[in-house]
Amino acid sequence: MRTPSSSAAAGATGPSTTKDPSAYGLSSEARNLHWLLTNLVEEVPGLLSVAVVSSDGLLLLSSDPGRNAERHPAESPTGPKGSSADLATIVSGLGSLTIGAAKLMDGGAVKQTVVAMEEGSLFVTSISDGSLLGVHATPDCDMSVVAYHMALFVGRAGHVLTPELRSELRQSMESAR
């Protein structure tokens, strides 16, 4: 396993090529986001699935649950109901719920939501312009490590997640179906 500093040394852009076959034919910014997501999944123990969701609830980017099956063979690697679209729906709904709660309580902007369950954890973090990063993790994950790496991802990805890039990622996800 690489250390957190090894990914930080790679910088926010990462390599212009990626092993993710769904990233071929995309702009360098989209490939870099794929690389950041792959790096998050590979470096953080206990992650089952990860999704980046737009402000309107559409899945923009997701981890490959099959990749996690090799790392966690005894656990269900497929996330909620085996679908990244299901994780995106949950992340979007939870994001909306917490934003509404924060408004009612005059709590300001929601930074992160954590749901700790018997059989896993769900983390939702704001990225930019209403986009969200959602992570489904094992029950024994180190929550502080997950939260830290999610914050790193948001710091590196938030400024590049422009409307044009979100549109490109949506089209990529729709054509992959």
Side-chain angles (χ1 to χ4, degrees), residues 48 81 128:
L48 297 172
K81 300 293 184 193
S128 64

Side-chain angles (χ1 to χ4, degrees), residues 70-148:
E70 298 168 11
R71 292 174 55 215
H72 307 290
E75 298 149 356
S76 170
T78 57
K81 300 293 184 193
S83 168
S84 54
D86 289 344
L87 179 60
T89 301
I90 293 165
V91 166
S92 179
L94 189 58
S96 294
L97 179 65
T98 56
I99 288 168
K103 284 180 184 176
L104 285 172
M105 297 176 186
D106 293 324
V110 176
K111 295 179 182 179
Q112 185 173 50
T113 303
V114 179
V115 179
M117 304 167 283
E118 278 184 28
E119 298 300 322
S121 298
L122 176 65
F123 301 79
V124 179
T125 300
S126 299
I127 299 178
S128 64
D129 297 336
S131 297
L132 301 167
L133 172 64
V135 170
H136 177 218
T138 62
D140 61 341
C141 73
D142 185 332
M143 292 180 152
S144 62
V145 170
V146 173
Y148 172 77

